[in-house]
Amino acid sequence: MYSQKVMDHFMNPRNMGEIEQASGVGTVGNAKCGDIMRMYIQVENDIITDVKFKTFGCGAAVATSSMATELVKGKTIEEALKITNKSVAEALDGLPPVKVHCSLLAEEALHAALWDYAQKHNLHIEGLEPPKEDIHEHEAENPKE
Amino acid sequence: MYSQKVMDHFMNPRNMGEIEQASGVGTVGNAKCGDIMRMYIQVENDIITDVKFKTFGCGAAVATSSMATELVKGKTIEEALKITNKSVAEALDGLPPVKVHCSLLAEEALHAALWDYAQKHNLHIEGLEPPKEDIHEHEAENPKE
Amino acid sequence: MNKIYLDHAATTPTRSEVVDAMLPYFTQQFGNPSSVYEVARINRKAVDEARSMVANALGATSDEIFFTSGGTEADNWAIKGIAEAYEQKGKHIITSAIEHHAVLHTCQYLEKKGYQVTYLPVDEYGQISIQDLKEAIQEDTILITIMYANNEIGTIQPIEAIGKIAKEHNIIFHTDAVQAVGHVPIHVKEMNIDLLSLSGHKLYGPKGIGALYIRKGVRIKPFIHGGAQERNRRAGTENVPAIVGLAKAIELSMKEMEESNHKIIELRDYLIKGIQEAIPHIRLNGHPTERLPGNVNFSFRFIEGESLLIGLDMHGIYASSGSACTSGSLDPSHVLLAIGLPHEIAHGSLRITLGPENTKEEMNYVLETLPKIVQRLRDMSPLYEDFLRAQS
Amino acid sequence: MNKIYLDHAATTPTRSEVVDAMLPYFTQQFGNPSSVYEVARINRKAVDEARSMVANALGATSDEIFFTSGGTEADNWAIKGIAEAYEQKGKHIITSAIEHHAVLHTCQYLEKKGYQVTYLPVDEYGQISIQDLKEAIQEDTILITIMYANNEIGTIQPIEAIGKIAKEHNIIFHTDAVQAVGHVPIHVKEMNIDLLSLSGHKLYGPKGIGALYIRKGVRIKPFIHGGAQERNRRAGTENVPAIVGLAKAIELSMKEMEESNHKIIELRDYLIKGIQEAIPHIRLNGHPTERLPGNVNFSFRFIEGESLLIGLDMHGIYASSGSACTSGSLDPSHVLLAIGLPHEIAHGSLRITLGPENTKEEMNYVLETLPKIVQRLRDMSPLYEDFLRAQS
Ligand SMILES: Cc1ncc(COP(=O)(O)O)c(C=O)c1O
Ligand SMILES: Cc1ncc(COP(=O)(O)O)c(C=O)c1O
């Protein structure tokens, strides 16, 4: 059900790991729902010079994490903020409909890491909102008629 | 679903036809229900010397008619009255459960022919009752749960 | 002895191309299509492809096709599922007097549950009247369920006209097209059909598989509850081989329909004419033109259908008297009664349904054999005796 | 690459003996068993024989077996059919928290229709308590429906004890034995089972066929209305090839059960021991002894099941995480939650279900591969990172 790209990023995740003294760290998701993503970013002169992730989750969660870090790396904060779930999913040649919710993590984790960076450095980043408590809360239950 | 005997009596019915000046004729059944049997008997000295039938009905109806005439032929009236649906069906090596109702005709037709004979000759035959109006009336509908 | 199968409306053989298409899914590609792993993907794809093949044949889209265990389940689901979904709107259903038992008994069941059902009468040819339909519509009518083509007498209903009226009145329209799909052209959109039932074994596909077309936007409750299969609408592990087989059979029948019907109609008309010329006191049942290509249905006065069938059977000819389902019951077919036949004539009916493998030689054999059997049974019949006596 | 199928609880391949038994009924003996003519007799006989083969396997009689389109339909029929037949007596049903969705969702549907359902909890091994069952019984309890063996964790329920209590209280007892028939010995009379569901594709038979055993004397309403098939209780043209295949599969599985289980249990225990030795932070789910021969179910902390499955898949190993039906849903398996696992641990579960064609070599390959995949996923997991940090 997954695209070749998804499978590739799942089997060979890019930027998996930790950054010891990261500029920002964001953890989103919820073990209850089966997916947690943590993103570490290194920021230098407004540019995300390094990024790493750890993910507990399904194949789609892992692949979107990996793809998101690829898209983010080397970007300015402003550019990075333009990366959406949709663009991550598209870069992966799409996700099965039931798995789209997993791609929400990537955007949220990036924002959470940036928020952490901003908090630590007392910065205001235009357009950035504080991380949600629970990323799945706003999702309606799959209607089962 | 029919026994070999039933098939044989259906394909080669014994005593099929009419008796021109019969001692008694009985017609039972109901075209509405899909089966009518007519039995002609010739009685001499209390003995059924000849018997013929005509039947409109299913394979079981034809076969029971044929078998009934075989059982009746040459019997005294008293003996003939002992022939029941059950004995006709048994002589045919049984009938499928859904077809048992067709075998009711044979006994009734014989009784109706004997009744006709008795009426015509002003006789009383012990144990013989007047023919029923509609042989199927007493049957309950197949319960379809 | 020749063996001549003339009962294609009861069931058809599964075509060898269909069996071949099914076989790999029993032993090699046997996985559960709901599984995550890659091998199951082949199964999922096979089911998806089958779904779009079925959709194509009906002028529907893939996401409007739901596989069921056959025509009966599809009928039950359509009627009960709509009744339940729209019970707030109303509890009135319109159907016809000549539906298959899968529809009739389901409607009768709903009557016991407090629904009201109108059974539209049919004319002597087996068609409902559009005027009757219009007059039957009430404020609380939620469903019109009228079969596409009748399984006994082959009559085709004015489906497009029914669809139009249903649409005008904003009433859901279901059609039991079990006898029609693969035999006559159908387009659910052009005909305003909201739900349509079909069955594999009536079109040279396997038994135990069918489908319900549900137009997008129609609310319907599930009938079989459980797993999330068929997009949460029909639970139960997908019958992959049968689904693949059904699709293959539909595809082939669409491709060959025109050619096959040309041949079948010629045979049918030859047989009808031959029987009419050879045997007196008979009646052709069904519509003279609006009828299924393969359907021949006659009533033979003074004789009973089952003995006629057995007689034919003894000569290697396999036909039917009314619906296969009704055999073993005491009553004559409700369809024949609905077109106005008296009981005793309804009892004497014969249904012959042709398929593309039948030949003119076979028809000639029937035309040789049938009159003899009919005569033999008439000679045996007290009704015929009475008739002759009244004549003389 | 090896291809190792370890998901026999999701579905099994159809045995070649079974396919061979089915084949003639597609193309040669394709007739409708309800037909009158002689050729249909062969089909009728095949169906009758199949019925008695299934009956024999359960300790039932032929007239207590009714064919359905699968386990899901059998469950739906049993529960809805009893609910409807006994609604005058009461509207209370007792089931367990770990039933298959075919039972759970049917019960939830009935709740919406005004029935009251008690979902008995299970202990950490997945068994209900007989004391709980006794206490749950009310004046108006009409049905106890408890599965024979669980599809995810393999736990076998105390069926005989449940049957005894049901009988004492004069309550109908249905068991979903879809995972048990053909795998463990069952005797419906000795166990006081009133209704039992089974499915072909879980025991090397075809998909799309199942059966409901209904003890003589149990009143039940039909679920699918239509023709008079299955003695007026289940309408729809009989799926003759699949019925024949189901019976053949059951016959073979009964004959080979002892030998096959001996082998499977040995493999299972070898695998369980191997995994326990190789991988820390895991939990064996299900009952230590009262479990299906082929079932292995572990939770691996800090990782998520689907990625584990895909990892195994990439190495040619086909397993499952919870029920095949629940994949694609957000929630972890209700069964794993019911035995008390926290959500995040429930998410990290792996089900391996063995069949007689599996080998020790295959187990060794799994024991080689699985620990590496688990380790890789743990290295990727923020939960594991946190755990290690907390340790140090
Ligand atoms: C018109 C019609 N509807 C429904 C059915 C039932 O279909 P199935 O046999 O697939 O259950 C049949 C055939 O039996 C039929 O002819
Ligand atoms: C315990 C149990 N009950 C019911 C079912 C449903 O059976 P089927 O797939 O035949 O509909 C399954 C399998 O899917 C099962 O494991």
Side-chain angles (χ1 to χ4, degrees):
Chain A
M1 62 179 180
Y2 290 131
S3 71
Q4 293 251 305
K5 272 233 180 94
V6 171
M7 288 309 294
D8 177 40
H9 277 266
F10 174 77
M11 292 306 286
N12 310 295
R14 330 292 199 253
N15 307 309
M16 200 277 284
E18 302 160 39
I19 297 177
E20 282 292 322
Q21 236 106 49
S23 316
V25 185
T27 305
V28 296
N30 182 326
K32 234 184 123 199
C33 297
D35 41 16
I36 295 179
M37 180 177 173
R38 177 171 299 163
M39 200 182 274
Y40 299 81
I41 51 173
Q42 196 63 41
V43 183
E44 276 162 39
N45 300 329
D46 236 36
I47 289 175
I48 300 171
T49 54
D50 198 9
V51 53
K52 297 267 186 209
F53 79 93
K54 286 217 171 169
T55 292
F56 160 84
C58 66
V62 172
T64 48
S65 304
S66 165
M67 178 55 88
T69 58
E70 282 229 303
L71 293 177
V72 160
K73 208 169 180 174
K75 294 266 168 35
T76 64
I77 289 174
E78 208 189 322
E79 286 167 343
L81 276 174
K82 289 193 188 124
I83 293 165
T84 61
N85 307 315
K86 227 177 128 225
S87 55
V88 175
E90 274 166 13
L92 287 166
D93 295 344
L95 285 172
V98 289
K99 292 293 182 183
V100 168
H101 73 99
C102 310
S103 71
L104 302 178
L105 283 180
E107 184 182 325
E108 298 291 330
L110 171 64
H111 290 194
L114 284 170
W115 182 264
D116 181 49
Y117 163 72
Q119 292 288 94
K120 276 187 191 149
H121 296 79
N122 238 326
L123 298 171
H124 172 76
I125 299 178
E126 193 56 44
L128 188 65
E129 286 178 23
K132 292 201 193 81
E133 279 300 293
D134 182 345
I135 193 166
H136 287 301
E137 256 164 23
H138 59 284
E139 277 186 75
E141 271 272 303
N142 217 11
K144 278 200 192 178
E145 213 194 356
Chain B
M1 60 179 181
Y2 290 131
S3 71
Q4 291 251 306
K5 271 233 179 95
V6 171
M7 289 309 294
D8 177 39
H9 277 266
F10 174 76
M11 292 306 286
N12 311 296
R14 330 292 199 255
N15 307 307
M16 200 277 285
E18 303 160 40
I19 298 177
E20 282 292 321
Q21 237 104 51
S23 318
V25 184
T27 305
V28 295
N30 182 326
K32 232 184 126 200
C33 297
D35 41 17
I36 295 180
M37 181 179 173
R38 177 170 299 164
M39 200 183 274
Y40 298 81
I41 51 174
Q42 196 62 41
V43 184
E44 276 162 40
N45 299 329
D46 236 36
I47 288 177
I48 300 173
T49 55
D50 198 9
V51 53
K52 298 267 185 211
F53 80 91
K54 287 217 169 169
T55 291
F56 161 84
C58 64
V62 172
T64 48
S65 305
S66 164
M67 178 54 87
T69 57
E70 282 230 303
L71 294 178
V72 160
K73 207 169 180 173
K75 293 266 169 34
T76 65
I77 289 174
E78 207 189 323
E79 285 167 343
L81 277 173
K82 289 194 188 124
I83 294 165
T84 61
N85 307 316
K86 227 176 128 227
S87 56
V88 175
E90 275 166 14
L92 288 164
D93 295 343
L95 286 172
V98 289
K99 291 293 181 184
V100 168
H101 73 99
C102 310
S103 70
L104 302 179
L105 282 180
E107 184 182 325
E108 299 290 331
L110 171 64
H111 290 196
L114 285 170
W115 183 264
D116 181 48
Y117 163 71
Q119 293 288 93
K120 276 187 189 147
H121 296 78
N122 236 329
L123 298 171
H124 173 75
I125 299 178
E126 193 56 43
L128 187 66
E129 287 179 23
K132 291 202 195 78
E133 279 299 293
D134 181 344
I135 193 168
H136 287 301
E137 257 165 23
H138 60 283
E139 276 186 75
E141 270 271 303
N142 216 13
K144 279 199 189 176
E145 212 197 354
Chain C
M1 191 171 65
N2 302 316
K3 301 266 177 206
I4 307 181
Y5 186 76
L6 301 177
D7 201 14
H8 293 83
T11 194
T12 54
T14 309
R15 291 176 65 145
S16 60
E17 300 97 314
V18 170
V19 177
D20 289 347
M22 293 168 72
L23 276 179
Y25 296 93
F26 283 112
T27 47
Q28 292 147 39
Q29 292 308 328
F30 64 84
N32 191 320
S34 301
S35 298
V36 169
Y37 35 81
E38 278 296 292
V39 277
R41 185 187 206 159
I42 302 176
N43 278 326
R44 246 182 334 262
K45 227 181 112 207
V47 171
D48 288 347
E49 272 175 25
R51 204 185 300 284
S52 79
M53 281 156 79
V54 174
N56 281 344
L58 301 176
T61 57
S62 274
D63 53 355
E64 298 176 317
I65 303 297
F66 298 85
F67 293 111
T68 67
S69 69
T72 299
E73 186 196 319
D75 285 341
N76 273 257
W77 181 13
I79 297 169
K80 293 175 187 169
I82 292 296
E84 209 177 313
Y86 288 84
E87 65 184 341
Q88 297 307 328
K89 189 187 159 198
K91 293 196 150 193
H92 179 239
I93 294 171
I94 299 172
T95 186
S96 85
I98 63 162
E99 298 295 312
H100 188 270
H101 283 162
V103 168
L104 277 190
H105 289 165
T106 302
C107 286
Q108 285 159 7
Y109 166 80
L110 287 178
E111 282 184 295
K112 279 192 238 151
K113 300 270 150 193
Y115 288 78
Q116 186 204 343
V117 180
T118 301
Y119 300 90
L120 295 179
V122 294
D123 63 20
E124 58 177 319
Y125 302 118
Q127 282 194 326
I128 65 146
S129 119
I130 293 296
Q131 192 52 36
D132 286 350
L133 172 62
K134 279 187 196 156
E135 284 165 16
I137 291 173
Q138 304 174 180
E139 267 301 304
D140 61 342
T141 306
I142 52 171
L143 176 67
I144 296 170
T145 171
I146 308 261
M147 72 197 315
Y148 202 108
N150 184 270
N151 45 306
E152 295 189 40
I153 56 175
T155 301
I156 296 171
Q157 298 298 333
I159 294 297
E160 229 173 308
I162 299 169
K164 200 158 154 270
I165 285 166
K167 197 180 177 181
E168 277 165 22
H169 291 80
N170 202 19
I171 298 168
I172 307 275
F173 173 36
H174 166 250
T175 187
D176 172 348
V178 165
Q179 291 288 340
V181 173
H183 299 282
V184 292
I186 294 180
H187 199 291
V188 289
K189 304 291 159 179
E190 287 169 10
M191 294 173 167
N192 284 316
I193 297 167
D194 294 309
L195 300 119
L196 177 147
S197 307
L198 63 89
S199 176
H201 72 101
K202 307 287 189 185
L203 44 82
Y204 303 87
K207 294 180 173 64
I209 190 76
L212 184 63
Y213 151 79
I214 306 174
R215 188 176 57 70
K216 228 172 292 169
V218 168
R219 276 190 296 133
I220 187 165
K221 293 284 180 184
F223 174 54
I224 297 186
H225 296 86
Q229 293 91 350
E230 299 294 289
R231 281 148 297 144
N232 265 325
R233 284 185 147 174
R234 201 286 190 182
T237 301
E238 297 88 341
N239 188 351
V240 184
I243 287 170
V244 167
L246 169 64
K248 185 77 189 169
I250 289 197
E251 189 192 47
L252 290 171
S253 69
M254 298 315 283
K255 207 187 296 173
E256 299 167 10
M257 187 187 291
E258 219 183 293
E259 201 188 314
S260 163
N261 279 350
H262 184 79
K263 190 194 147 185
I264 290 175
I265 288 172
E266 202 176 297
L267 285 186
R268 177 194 72 186
D269 293 346
Y270 178 75
L271 186 64
I272 288 178
K273 196 155 159 278
I275 291 175
Q276 283 170 330
E277 283 169 6
I279 308 177
H281 314 306
I282 65 174
R283 179 191 197 279
L284 176 67
N285 299 312
H287 199 281
T289 55
E290 293 300 302
R291 89 185 288 140
L292 287 173
N295 180 284
V296 176
N297 191 309
F298 277 106
S299 289
F300 299 90
R301 281 185 68 191
F302 317 123
I303 66 176
E304 193 275 338
E306 198 214 66
S307 25
L308 185 51
L309 286 192
I310 302 178
L312 288 167
D313 187 4
M314 291 295 106
H315 290 83
I317 298 169
Y318 307 128
S320 149
S321 180
S323 160
C325 299
T326 54
S327 70
S329 119
L330 283 177
D331 292 323
S333 139
H334 65 283
V335 177
L336 299 176
L337 296 180
I339 58 172
L341 299 194
H343 271 69
E344 64 271 27
I345 295 184
H347 275 296
S349 82
L350 175 72
R351 179 186 74 177
I352 286 178
T353 42
L354 307 174
E357 81 280 11
N358 290 128
T359 63
K360 191 156 178 185
E361 272 157 41
E362 290 175 344
M363 300 304 107
N364 284 331
Y365 179 70
V366 172
L367 288 174
E368 213 174 87
T369 313
L370 181 63
K372 288 188 221 154
I373 297 172
V374 170
Q375 193 53 51
R376 192 177 91 85
L377 290 172
R378 282 182 176 167
D379 288 343
M380 206 189 282
S381 167
L383 295 177
Y384 191 54
E385 181 183 319
D386 295 348
F387 169 78
L388 291 181
R389 209 161 275 158
Q391 296 281 71
S392 61
Chain D
M1 192 171 66
N2 302 317
K3 302 264 177 208
I4 307 180
Y5 187 76
L6 301 177
D7 201 13
H8 293 82
T11 193
T12 54
T14 310
R15 291 177 67 146
S16 59
E17 300 97 313
V18 170
V19 177
D20 289 346
M22 292 169 71
L23 276 178
Y25 296 94
F26 283 112
T27 47
Q28 294 148 38
Q29 293 307 327
F30 65 84
N32 191 320
S34 301
S35 298
V36 170
Y37 35 80
E38 278 296 291
V39 276
R41 186 186 205 160
I42 303 176
N43 277 326
R44 247 183 332 263
K45 227 181 112 204
V47 171
D48 289 347
E49 271 175 26
R51 205 185 299 284
S52 80
M53 281 156 80
V54 173
N56 281 345
L58 301 175
T61 57
S62 275
D63 53 356
E64 298 176 316
I65 303 298
F66 299 84
F67 293 111
T68 67
S69 68
T72 299
E73 186 197 318
D75 285 342
N76 273 257
W77 181 13
I79 296 168
K80 294 175 186 169
I82 292 296
E84 210 177 313
Y86 289 85
E87 65 186 339
Q88 296 307 328
K89 188 187 159 196
K91 293 195 149 195
H92 180 239
I93 294 170
I94 300 172
T95 186
S96 86
I98 63 163
E99 298 296 312
H100 189 269
H101 283 162
V103 168
L104 277 189
H105 289 166
T106 302
C107 286
Q108 285 158 7
Y109 166 79
L110 287 177
E111 281 184 295
K112 279 192 237 149
K113 300 271 149 193
Y115 288 78
Q116 185 203 344
V117 181
T118 301
Y119 300 89
L120 294 179
V122 294
D123 62 21
E124 59 178 319
Y125 301 118
Q127 282 194 326
I128 65 146
S129 119
I130 293 296
Q131 192 52 38
D132 286 350
L133 172 62
K134 280 188 196 157
E135 284 165 15
I137 291 173
Q138 303 175 179
E139 267 301 304
D140 61 342
T141 306
I142 51 171
L143 175 67
I144 297 170
T145 172
I146 307 261
M147 73 200 313
Y148 202 107
N150 184 269
N151 45 306
E152 295 189 41
I153 56 174
T155 301
I156 297 171
Q157 298 298 333
I159 294 298
E160 229 174 308
I162 299 169
K164 200 159 155 270
I165 285 167
K167 196 179 177 182
E168 278 166 20
H169 291 80
N170 201 19
I171 299 168
I172 307 277
F173 173 36
H174 166 251
T175 186
D176 173 348
V178 165
Q179 291 288 341
V181 173
H183 300 282
V184 292
I186 295 180
H187 199 292
V188 288
K189 305 290 159 179
E190 286 170 9
M191 295 171 166
N192 284 315
I193 297 168
D194 294 308
L195 299 119
L196 177 146
S197 306
L198 62 88
S199 175
H201 73 101
K202 306 288 190 185
L203 44 82
Y204 303 87
K207 294 181 173 61
I209 191 75
L212 184 62
Y213 151 79
I214 307 174
R215 188 175 56 70
K216 228 172 293 170
V218 167
R219 276 191 296 133
I220 187 165
K221 293 284 180 184
F223 174 54
I224 297 187
H225 296 86
Q229 293 91 350
E230 300 295 290
R231 280 149 297 143
N232 266 324
R233 285 185 147 174
R234 201 286 190 182
T237 301
E238 297 88 340
N239 189 350
V240 183
I243 287 170
V244 168
L246 169 64
K248 185 75 188 171
I250 289 197
E251 188 191 48
L252 291 171
S253 69
M254 298 316 282
K255 207 188 296 173
E256 299 167 10
M257 188 187 292
E258 219 184 293
E259 201 188 314
S260 163
N261 279 349
H262 184 79
K263 190 195 147 185
I264 290 174
I265 289 172
E266 202 175 296
L267 284 186
R268 176 193 73 186
D269 293 346
Y270 178 75
L271 186 65
I272 288 177
K273 197 153 160 280
I275 291 175
Q276 283 170 330
E277 283 170 6
I279 308 176
H281 314 307
I282 66 176
R283 179 191 196 279
L284 176 67
N285 299 315
H287 199 281
T289 56
E290 294 300 303
R291 89 185 287 140
L292 287 172
N295 180 282
V296 176
N297 191 309
F298 277 106
S299 289
F300 299 89
R301 282 186 67 191
F302 317 124
I303 66 176
E304 193 275 337
E306 197 214 67
S307 27
L308 184 53
L309 287 192
I310 303 178
L312 288 167
D313 186 6
M314 291 294 105
H315 289 82
I317 298 169
Y318 307 128
S320 149
S321 181
S323 160
C325 299
T326 53
S327 70
S329 121
L330 283 177
D331 293 322
S333 139
H334 65 283
V335 176
L336 299 175
L337 296 180
I339 59 171
L341 299 195
H343 270 69
E344 64 271 27
I345 294 182
H347 275 296
S349 81
L350 176 72
R351 179 186 73 177
I352 286 177
T353 42
L354 306 175
E357 80 280 10
N358 290 128
T359 63
K360 191 156 180 185
E361 271 156 41
E362 290 175 344
M363 300 304 109
N364 284 331
Y365 179 70
V366 172
L367 288 174
E368 215 174 85
T369 313
L370 180 64
K372 286 187 223 155
I373 297 173
V374 169
Q375 192 54 49
R376 192 179 91 85
L377 290 171
R378 283 182 175 166
D379 288 344
M380 207 189 282
S381 168
L383 295 176
Y384 191 55
E385 182 184 319
D386 295 348
F387 169 79
L388 291 181
R389 211 161 271 158
Q391 298 281 73
S392 62

